[in-house]
Amino acid sequence: MNTLRRVVVASLVGLGAGLLAPVAIAVDNSSLDQPAFREHKATYGLVYRLPPEVTAVLDSKISPPLRERLIKLGLVNEARTFNLPHVTVLHIHSADPTTPAKMLKALPGMPPPITLTLKSFYNTEAAKGAGAPWWFDLGVVKSGPGYSDMMSFNTVATAALTPLRDGPLPRCTGPVFAKMSEAAKELTRTVGVSGVNVFKDGKETASHNPHTTLVYSMTPYDERVQAAMKDVADEMNRILPNGIDTQFKDVSIVEIGFMGNVLREFYRISLENGSAWDVSSGKAVPVGK
């Protein structure tokens, strides 16, 4: 068991998850059982921005053929969607514009720099049969110390940050929530989003699936699109069969669009020394309590 995982177990099991979390605000889950998506006001996230050496590979080898394939399929909006490339830790929804500063204050201890491999392109629906949204992702190799640290950090970050939500992520409500598994529904009710790690019955779950998303879409995921995008995934995997080895040396607090694309960055925190700064001014800021 690595050091970060020992911290997780001691903090969440021995002391209780509440000691890691800020005082919870009022959470409204009424949108979960509505037929339409919840109105999106503002989503914030904790993410690893992709290092320049990774984006250079994607920009030179993947983005040009991917964009051409999208345009030929009529997925023009998808080819144009703005996104700061990243791997997500977690997302929360809150209409409170001070949420990024509160997230910075609530952050738990950082993991060490994370060494990992980005590998294998695939398509993901928000919930099977929901129709939209769906994404085209590049996965993470699920082995090694870096992956283990990433999963452990997701657990502590989820406990610390999800109390700041005002309700579920809008893209997890309405038609998506109706098609979710019972396990995903429980996570959405209790922490506002599925696909995160929590402690349940004294055991750490492993729901988190770290990845970087290259295509965000609200186009209906019908048979034509599914078949075409499977071909796209196969083509991209032939281009990068061995993936991309890299290291994440920092983590960022960002604003996120409805589908999960990062719109702007507020704060960046070093995994090497724990320092943090406001990216718009470059000034140092305090992190944690």
Side-chain angles (χ1 to χ4, degrees), residues 41-61:
K41 294 184 178 178
T43 297
Y44 302 102
L46 186 66
V47 306
Y48 308 98
R49 291 281 306 274
L50 293 191
E53 61 270 19
V54 174
T55 57
V57 173
L58 294 176
D59 288 346
S60 64
K61 294 187 176 182

Side-chain angles (χ1 to χ4, degrees), residues 38-44 93-96 166 170 255-256 258:
R38 178 191 183 191
E39 180 185 4
H40 182 264
K41 294 184 178 178
T43 297
Y44 302 102
H93 187 273
S94 175
D96 178 2
D166 61 14
E255 182 178 0
I256 294 169
F258 173 85

Side-chain angles (χ1 to χ4, degrees), residues 45-52 54-55 58-59 63 78 80-89 91 211-216 248 250-257 259-268 279-280:
L46 186 66
V47 306
Y48 308 98
R49 291 281 306 274
L50 293 191
V54 174
T55 57
L58 294 176
D59 288 346
S63 295
E78 286 81 350
R80 295 174 176 172
T81 299
F82 178 79
N83 174 54
L84 295 175
H86 64 282
V87 170
T88 296
V89 180
H91 299 169
H211 59 272
T212 185
T213 298
L214 304 180
V215 176
Y216 300 82
F248 296 158
D250 46 56
V251 67
S252 299
I253 294 173
V254 298
E255 182 178 0
I256 294 169
M259 292 181 290
N261 50 310
V262 171
L263 303 176
R264 59 172 170 160
E265 183 180 10
F266 297 102
Y267 306 109
R268 196 176 303 177
V279 298
S280 64

